[in-house]
Amino acid sequence: MTSESVIAEVLLPLALATPYSYRVPPDMEVVEGSYVEVPLGPRSYIGVVWEVRPFVASNMRLRDIAQVFTTPAMPATHRKFIEWLATYYLEPKGSVLRMALRVPSAFEAPRAQTAFRIATGLPKRMTPQRQRVLEVMRDGFPLQAREIADLAGVGTSVVKAMAKDGAIEELALPALRPFAEPDPGAEALPFNAEQQQAADELRSMVAARQHKVTLLDGVTGSGKTEVYFEAMAEALRQGRQVLLLLPEIALTAPFLARVERRFAAEPAGWHSDLRPRERERVWRGVAEGHARIVVGARSALFLPWANLGLIVVDEEHEGAYKQDEGVSYHARDMAVLYGALAQFPVVLSSATPSLESLVNVDRGRYASVRLHDRHGRAELPDIGLIDMRSADVPTGSWLSAPLLADVKATIEAGDQALLFLNRRGYAPLTLCRACGHHLNCPNCSAAMVEHRFRRILQCHHCGHQEPATNTCPKCNTEGKLVPIGPGVERLAEEAARHFPEARIAILSSDISRGVMLRDVLKEVADGVWNLVIGTQLVAKGHHFPHLTLAGIVDADLALESSDPRSGERTWALLAQVAGRAGRGEKPGRAFVQTYAPEHPLMRALKSGDRDSYLAQERLIRQAGGLPPYGRLAALIISSDKAHEAEAFAKALAKIIPPTDDLQVLGPAIAPIAVIRGRHRWRLLVKASRTVDLQAFLRLWLKDVKPKGQLQLQIDVDPYNFL
Ligand code: ADP
Ligand code: ZN
């Protein structure tokens, strides 16, 4: 085929199900997977050539590809991965591609590496567009013209005009630093017998160069990380790339440093706080194949892998692997899918594996490697239950006398204590004592949460904020608003009353974000703080060697939920929090405050008998036909008008294709009936494992087109039932 006769089907990063056709100009060479720039309407987009086919006369009026980039073509397996993901989650292929193309600057020719930063002068002329440019550049970091344009939603011409004006200045960027070659044999630890056996098994799995999934199931502190490093080393010896997935929040500097020590080379980190320039460096390094180890959050799956040979999913049970916004996907499940498509092994690691993975082990689909003991002298913490019905708890307090005594002893011994409460802010609810009014969000059916440090009330569903107030908005009475219940800030206040000398840190996503949060986590690990009060983000795989006491303030909090996974989740959360204690030289203890000490979960926590608790959970799931014994998909209908959402949900229910193999529950008003001013209804599809759920959904929804303000979101394998 000569180049004159070629048509390229180009997939664009837009909500499109199929690629668009373009003519390849005679002097241009493209292959399947090439990254190209093409015109669409008045704009131009970067897309990927999905297919190349011969030119026929009816294609006369096609537009030309504008340019082809020198970036290595997207490998066929990666394209297949994007297709599969789109099919599985019923998303347009283009929306999935968009996640793989979030680094526009990676396509600029390497010689044109200039950037802009804010200058001292003000623009001669101010327009809303220019204002937006200044806003995105406010923090002073150099950004490239295309990045600024994308962030501010303006054309690059605006950026260039402002540079001429002197409002921003151009500077040359140094070349991107390549990634160093890791050394698979650098600084491996001498293993104990159990670790050695686990490492051998993982190593031989990788050596086989086939698809296989192994669950590395070991108690907290047993050396899972050290063990899966051996699997990574083996893949590196084969010359392949390795992806280590972590929940975003566990991607800390100390963890990256640990990977660097083990392999004597800095790994590529990938998370949402990366500077654009570093983002570009990693993206290119992965595409070119010299970024050999990537330690990343879930979106790292979509990097343009040149030669991926292993994925390790650490903390595989973590809910954070499920993305709910935009394209909803589960990164652990997609890691397994990727391995199956590209024929490489996958390691899932956890101290509290998901029921999904445990059942896959029982079915013989996954192999299992277990580590039963903590490494060295460290032992699993003893877990004690504090029965809050009989414990001594002063009114208006949340910490019982026995827990307080232990915190005191811990601090006095020079150690670190942790108090865990999974609630952000000061108080989850504010009530007017004069008229009984609850302060609620104007946009959502949810309470406003008081954040006292920041002197605001905030809705945790839409982010709506109001200044803290002293006056009831309903009856105008002053001084009668009272906080109900504790959040971490209120708990910190109580702790400070008891321990005025303590160095207290609050670990909560809204107090310390991003880089700052990573700093605080490091300070906790270094023992700068001796009393840590935290939400669930303390449970995510951190290694705090000074911590010897973990106190769980309200163990019953998550159990009330109607989520089918709430039992399993609570179990994992509490076991992980308790597991933060005693990972260093000194033994640890954990205390669990509960009003239901006879609950099977609490009893299992105390006795450490995970298997019998999970066996019971499995029976419940099995009886209910719930995952992993059955499959679920949620349909979430929303609209700014209540009646519209209701009518659409009911209309959907009327056209359910006749079937005996599955059940559609609802429609019903969602548990959170209104979010961001949108009224919400839900339908839940429940199917046995053998049913083709996606085919059913496609058939059902093939002619359904929500109009106007109506939205229909399909959530396959939902984790969120609100
Ligand atoms: P996990 O991932 O199971 O929680 P880690 O791999 O983080 O456990 O190990 C816990 C701690 O024990 C770490 O500080 C680690 O360096 C140390 N450790 C684990 N195995 C060994 C070993 N064989 N020799 C020395 N230290 C070890
Ligand atoms: Zn709200």
Side-chain angles (χ1 to χ4, degrees):
M1 205 187 307
T2 68
S3 56
E4 284 122 76
S5 59
V6 175
I7 297 291
E9 299 294 340
V10 178
L11 188 63
L12 298 174
L14 302 168
L16 298 167
T18 51
Y20 282 177
S21 307
Y22 289 89
R23 199 177 77 105
V24 181
D27 55 346
M28 187 185 281
E29 264 199 61
V30 304
V31 295
E32 285 173 351
S34 291
Y35 294 91
V36 293
E37 185 177 344
V38 295
L40 182 73
R43 285 201 53 176
S44 79
Y45 290 92
I46 293 171
V48 174
V49 174
W50 225 244
E51 200 192 326
V52 179
R53 56 186 182 79
F55 186 89
V56 289
S58 63
N59 292 136
M60 282 308 284
R61 297 179 50 206
L62 291 180
R63 296 173 82 175
D64 278 4
I65 289 180
Q67 68 166 312
V68 52
F69 296 101
T70 53
T71 319
M74 182 185 278
T77 44
H78 202 63
R79 281 179 277 136
K80 207 149 112 195
F81 173 58
I82 288 173
E83 296 227 339
W84 267 81
L85 194 144
T87 311
Y88 187 87
Y89 290 110
L90 286 95
E91 292 284 352
K93 277 181 224 166
S95 304
V96 181
L97 179 69
R98 184 162 54 205
M99 299 196 288
L101 287 182
R102 285 234 169 100
V103 191
S105 61
F107 298 99
E108 311 257 302
R111 57 184 163 69
Q113 297 291 2
T114 60
F116 297 87
R117 94 181 143 205
I118 214 153
T120 43
L122 274 178
K124 297 204 179 73
R125 201 161 52 80
M126 190 55 102
T127 63
Q129 289 189 323
R130 289 179 167 216
Q131 187 69 49
R132 287 208 299 279
V133 168
L134 290 181
E135 264 159 36
V136 305
M137 300 184 68
R138 200 173 38 195
D139 65 1
F141 278 89
L143 294 171
Q144 292 179 272
R146 198 186 266 276
E147 283 158 6
I148 300 168
D150 278 9
L151 287 169
V154 303
T156 47
S157 56
V158 177
V159 179
K160 292 193 176 128
M162 288 176 73
K164 240 188 195 156
D165 243 22
I168 61 178
E169 62 189 6
E170 187 166 353
L171 58 143
L173 285 177
L176 292 173
R177 209 157 36 90
F179 289 93
E181 177 77 15
D183 172 3
E187 223 187 273
L189 293 175
F191 282 139
N192 64 37
E194 201 181 34
Q195 290 174 332
Q196 187 64 53
Q197 194 185 339
D200 288 345
E201 276 184 51
L202 292 187
R203 210 179 296 121
S204 63
M205 169 180 82
V206 177
R209 295 172 184 252
Q210 276 168 10
H211 177 57
K212 182 172 172 185
V213 183
T214 300
L215 178 65
L216 176 57
D217 175 358
V219 297
T220 51
S222 57
K224 295 184 293 299
T225 312
E226 301 297 335
V227 167
Y228 68 60
F229 279 168
E230 293 312 300
M232 292 167 64
E234 185 61 31
L236 293 171
R237 278 187 207 102
Q238 296 173 356
R240 303 185 73 177
Q241 290 170 301
V242 175
L243 168 58
L244 170 51
L245 282 178
L246 291 176
E248 170 108 29
I249 204 71
L251 264 167
T252 57
F255 191 89
L256 290 169
R258 189 171 168 189
V259 178
E260 178 167 350
R261 265 198 312 280
R262 171 60 183 80
F263 296 103
E266 171 217 20
W270 183 261
H271 54 79
S272 58
D273 287 329
L274 279 192
R275 288 276 144 214
R277 184 84 174 141
E278 182 63 10
R279 202 165 273 278
E280 177 186 343
R281 177 172 171 246
V282 175
W283 200 94
R284 277 188 196 237
V286 171
E288 288 160 8
H290 63 81
R292 300 283 305 285
I293 306 176
V294 176
V295 186
R298 63 187 179 211
S299 62
L301 276 174
F302 299 97
L303 287 168
W305 295 101
N307 180 24
L308 186 56
L310 172 70
I311 302 181
V312 177
V313 184
D314 200 357
E315 312 289 341
E316 67 90 25
H317 62 280
E318 257 299 326
Y321 283 124
K322 177 75 192 323
Q323 168 158 309
D324 281 330
E325 308 262 298
V327 175
S328 49
Y329 68 93
H330 199 297
R332 175 199 63 216
D333 298 351
M334 290 305 104
V336 170
L337 171 86
Y338 204 154
L341 288 174
Q343 286 300 304
F344 61 70
V346 176
V347 176
L348 308 179
S349 174
S350 177
T352 52
S354 61
L355 267 193
E356 272 80 1
S357 296
L358 289 169
V359 169
N360 274 323
V361 169
D362 281 359
R363 288 181 180 140
R365 298 179 55 191
Y366 295 178
S368 159
V369 173
R370 289 195 73 159
L371 295 173
H372 296 90
D373 299 311
R374 279 201 162 169
H375 171 74
R377 288 191 291 131
E379 286 189 18
L380 282 174
D382 279 329
I383 299 182
L385 301 181
I386 298 174
D387 185 343
M388 294 297 274
R389 295 168 306 192
S390 53
D392 178 9
V393 191
T395 24
S397 309
W398 288 275
L399 299 171
S400 63
L403 183 54
L404 283 170
D406 255 72
V407 172
K408 183 162 189 280
T410 303
I411 295 177
E412 281 174 357
D415 298 329
Q416 192 178 49
L418 164 72
L419 293 173
F420 168 79
L421 177 67
N422 206 8
R423 263 192 184 143
R424 295 189 282 134
Y426 185 85
L429 190 70
T430 306
L431 178 91
C432 174
R433 279 249 190 271
C435 73
H437 178 65
H438 290 184
L439 296 193
N440 279 337
C441 174
N443 313 319
C444 306
S445 41
M448 294 292 281
V449 178
E450 182 184 358
H451 289 255
R452 195 160 281 192
F453 291 169
R454 293 189 289 153
R455 294 167 196 245
I456 56 160
L457 293 156
Q458 189 185 44
C459 169
H460 286 180
H461 296 285
C462 72
H464 173 78
Q465 289 188 5
E466 286 170 17
T469 170
N470 202 12
T471 313
C472 174
K474 181 109 178 281
C475 68
N476 284 322
T477 311
E478 218 175 297
K480 288 285 185 185
L481 290 176
V482 286
I484 308 289
V488 277
E489 293 177 12
R490 197 170 188 184
L491 198 64
E493 199 179 82
E494 185 181 338
R497 271 203 310 275
H498 290 288
F499 311 109
E501 312 284 285
R503 302 183 304 277
I504 299 180
I506 299 184
L507 272 177
S508 165
S509 56
D510 55 318
I511 289 182
S512 28
R513 262 186 188 277
V515 177
M516 218 170 90
L517 177 58
R518 294 200 170 86
D519 289 346
V520 182
L521 284 167
K522 180 167 188 306
E523 289 167 4
V524 173
D526 292 346
V528 175
W529 308 97
N530 60 0
L531 181 51
V532 181
I533 299 189
T535 61
Q536 59 172 353
L537 65 83
V538 300
K540 313 218 167 181
H542 309 297
H543 187 57
F544 300 144
H546 301 278
L547 197 105
T548 59
L549 174 70
I552 291 161
V553 175
D554 186 349
D556 312 328
L557 204 55
L559 274 179
E560 301 145 16
S561 132
S562 60
D563 181 335
R565 292 187 185 84
S566 63
E568 172 194 346
R569 234 184 239 170
T570 306
W571 158 267
L573 186 61
L574 301 188
Q576 292 278 356
V577 172
R580 291 312 109 202
R583 290 170 60 100
E585 291 291 302
K586 293 193 183 174
R589 276 157 310 152
F591 282 99
V592 178
Q593 297 192 150
T594 173
Y595 284 89
E598 71 292 341
H599 192 290
L601 191 155
M602 302 305 160
R603 292 219 302 254
L605 263 181
K606 181 169 168 52
S607 64
D609 186 358
R610 156 185 120 180
D611 294 340
S612 65
Y613 172 67
L614 290 181
Q616 186 184 338
E617 271 292 296
R618 287 165 66 154
L619 288 178
I620 296 172
R621 300 264 195 103
Q622 199 158 17
L626 293 164
Y629 299 98
R631 301 193 55 202
L632 298 177
L635 268 53
I636 301 126
I637 294 108
S638 66
S639 168
D640 54 354
K641 297 183 204 71
H643 66 270
E644 209 177 68
E646 178 176 359
F648 189 74
K650 290 184 172 162
L652 271 183
K654 287 220 177 74
I655 56 162
I656 298 170
T659 166
D660 295 331
D661 311 339
L662 40 74
Q663 218 186 336
V664 181
L665 310 175
I669 296 183
I672 303 179
V674 187
I675 297 184
R676 292 173 206 271
R678 300 188 62 85
H679 298 261
R680 307 166 73 244
W681 282 70
R682 293 181 69 108
L683 289 139
L684 189 66
V685 185
K686 229 170 102 177
S688 71
R689 288 203 316 126
T690 48
V691 171
D692 187 343
L693 183 59
Q694 281 84 354
F696 170 80
L697 291 169
R698 264 191 292 274
L699 177 68
W700 179 11
L701 304 171
K702 73 176 178 330
D703 298 320
V704 172
K705 299 241 164 7
K707 290 199 188 66
Q709 283 300 306
L710 267 170
Q711 255 175 31
L712 169 62
Q713 190 205 338
I714 305 166
D715 191 359
V716 177
D717 306 338
Y719 276 67
N720 180 344
F721 295 85
L722 294 178

